[in-house]
Amino acid sequence: MTTLLWTLAIAAFLPLVWGISGGALRAQAPEGFDNNLPRRQAATLTGLGERFYGAQANAWEALAIYTACVVIAQFAGADPAAAGVTGMVFIGARVLHGVAYAMDLATLRSLLWFVGIGACIRLLVLAAQA
């Protein structure tokens, strides 16, 4: 499996990391984790729990874009080394994005979002050059 595909596998699990982190906080709520209506409970979150929920939602959104770009790069025959490095930049940016989201560092979070989107664009450029 190529490095790029490994990064896609990692990206697929990032929303779960943020979701489990937020879920642990929801379990500490006075009423405990509401498995019957988890989205309703999530809508009442504040602070760190709310930020983890936001990081999870954003990670799902980024995954859709990244998946499309990875598939295009793979099928176009983009340079594997350059695509792999680009994928690692995406993963680094997305991990740090989630951390910045949880720590309420909005400006840094936005900059990291742009790095991640830039990596997606780079994959498309590599595909176009193949």
Side-chain angles (χ1 to χ4, degrees), residues 26-42:
R26 291 198 321 235
Q28 295 173 6
E31 65 278 2
F33 183 82
D34 184 352
N35 199 38
N36 292 319
L37 296 166
R39 291 177 192 249
R40 182 174 68 183
Q41 183 183 31

Side-chain angles (χ1 to χ4, degrees), residues 73 76-79 82-84 86 121-130:
D79 175 52
T86 303
I121 293 167
R122 175 74 175 138
L123 286 175
L124 296 176
V125 168
L126 291 170
Q129 293 173 342

Side-chain angles (χ1 to χ4, degrees), residues 45-56 98 100-105:
L45 293 172
T46 59
L48 184 59
E50 181 180 25
R51 292 191 301 274
F52 271 131
Y53 189 74
Q56 178 189 27
Y101 212 130
M103 295 177 65
D104 202 19
L105 301 172

Side-chain angles (χ1 to χ4, degrees), residues 96-112:
L96 292 173
H97 175 273
V99 171
Y101 212 130
M103 295 177 65
D104 202 19
L105 301 172
T107 302
L108 178 59
R109 182 186 84 218
S110 295
L111 290 172
L112 290 163

Side-chain angles (χ1 to χ4, degrees), residues 4-96:
L4 184 60
L5 289 178
W6 275 112
T7 65
L8 180 57
I10 294 166
F13 284 94
L14 280 179
L16 302 177
V17 170
W18 309 130
I20 290 168
S21 300
L25 292 171
R26 291 198 321 235
Q28 295 173 6
E31 65 278 2
F33 183 82
D34 184 352
N35 199 38
N36 292 319
L37 296 166
R39 291 177 192 249
R40 182 174 68 183
Q41 183 183 31
T44 67
L45 293 172
T46 59
L48 184 59
E50 181 180 25
R51 292 191 301 274
F52 271 131
Y53 189 74
Q56 178 189 27
N58 193 275
W60 285 120
E61 295 158 2
L63 178 60
I65 296 167
Y66 187 61
T67 299
C69 294
V70 167
V71 168
I72 291 167
Q74 283 287 125
F75 280 111
D79 175 52
V85 169
T86 303
M88 289 187 284
V89 167
F90 178 85
I91 293 300
R94 294 305 307 179
V95 167
L96 292 173

